[in-house]
Amino acid sequence: MRRKFGITDSEDPRAIRLAWWASFFATVMLIALLGVARSAQALTSPGAAGPTTSAISLPVEEGESEAEGEEEEFEAEECEAEEEGEEEECIAEEAAAEASEECVLSSASASVSASLASDKVRLSIHYTAFSPGSVEVLYWLRGSKGPLSLGREKDRLGRKGVLRQTEILTAAQMTKAAAAKSFTVQLRPANAPRYCHSLLDRHLTIRHATAGRLTWSDPEMGYRFSRQP
């Protein structure tokens, strides 16, 4: 009986060591598992931040794309506007070409000269026409001495030429002519529509003075349609 108890006592320390080592390895494994878990958490945290960063940057990208889209739409509209503008210009040119034939005259430039020594005023109109016909010419002046109506005559138009009218003035009328600032010349071709009147009217506002003579001319170089006969 004593021998049996001796064997039991000799085996108990081994069991204790085994238990201690088992608990030690279990503790080490637990620490290792905790370390792996923390590492995994650290690795997944940038991934979680990634969507947040992209969520912030996405609106900027969408804003840029929307801005680019608006620019493209604006450019397209501008191009369409340019095309429409060119089309309108073409229509206007065609309308002007049709109107020019109705207005009879294709070009006209006028000038007035006054001879102070002889008390004469002469009107000269250089013109070209789409077709021969008659035209009524009237003109008057405005100045510091008051207005003055100078002439109203009917002339015959050819294809091209010069219309001239000469007026002999009184001393009082010549005083007004010498003080004139501008002359207005109206051309009224027979059967021309009323809208032609404003096109054909010439306003002579440039004044030149030479020895014994005054001249008034058109600053716009006269009336002219693009299509000549």
Side-chain angles (χ1 to χ4, degrees):
M1 294 295 291
R2 290 179 182 175
R3 187 177 180 181
K4 185 176 180 181
F5 284 118
I7 295 169
T8 303
D9 292 338
S10 64
E11 292 177 353
D12 287 340
R14 294 178 181 176
I16 290 170
R17 291 191 193 95
L18 292 172
W20 183 85
W21 283 110
S23 64
F24 174 75
F25 284 119
T27 302
V28 171
M29 291 295 293
L30 181 60
I31 291 171
L33 290 173
L34 289 173
V36 171
R38 288 178 181 175
S39 299
Q41 186 178 1
L43 291 172
T44 55
S45 60
T52 304
T53 305
S54 62
I56 294 173
S57 61
L58 278 175
V60 177
E61 294 177 357
E62 290 177 356
E64 290 177 355
S65 62
E66 289 176 0
E68 291 175 357
E70 291 177 357
E71 288 179 359
E72 291 176 357
E73 290 178 0
F74 177 77
E75 290 176 357
E77 291 176 358
E78 187 177 1
C79 292
E80 291 177 359
E82 289 178 356
E83 292 176 358
E84 291 176 358
E86 291 177 357
E87 185 176 356
E88 290 177 358
E89 287 180 2
C90 292
I91 294 173
E93 289 177 0
E94 291 176 359
E98 293 177 359
S100 65
E101 296 184 7
E102 293 181 350
C103 294
V104 181
L105 292 171
S106 59
S107 70
S109 61
S111 64
V112 171
S113 62
S115 175
L116 302 179
S118 59
D119 294 336
K120 291 182 180 179
V121 172
R122 173 174 290 185
L123 169 66
S124 298
I125 302 171
H126 294 259
Y127 73 90
T128 57
F130 288 102
S131 60
S134 63
V135 62
E136 185 179 42
V137 181
L138 57 156
Y139 71 111
W140 63 90
L141 65 82
R142 287 187 176 90
S144 58
K145 300 297 183 178
L148 178 64
S149 179
L150 291 168
R152 187 186 189 102
E153 295 183 8
K154 286 187 177 181
D155 286 297
R156 183 73 184 173
L157 293 172
R159 285 287 184 174
K160 62 186 302 184
V162 182
L163 301 176
R164 292 186 175 91
Q165 291 185 16
T166 302
E167 302 289 334
I168 300 176
L169 306 182
T170 64
Q173 291 174 332
M174 197 64 208
T175 300
K176 289 186 176 182
K181 293 183 178 179
S182 66
F183 284 79
T184 298
V185 181
Q186 289 185 343
L187 300 172
R188 299 290 181 263
N191 302 320
R194 290 183 62 85
Y195 68 80
C196 294
H197 295 178
S198 60
L199 296 174
L200 298 174
D201 290 350
R202 311 313 320 141
H203 302 282
L204 316 182
T205 57
I206 297 179
R207 172 172 163 154
H208 306 276
T210 57
R213 182 177 295 274
L214 298 173
T215 305
W216 293 262
S217 58
D218 189 349
E220 297 180 356
M221 300 304 293
Y223 158 86
R224 184 178 299 278
F225 273 114
S226 58
R227 286 176 56 185
Q228 296 295 320

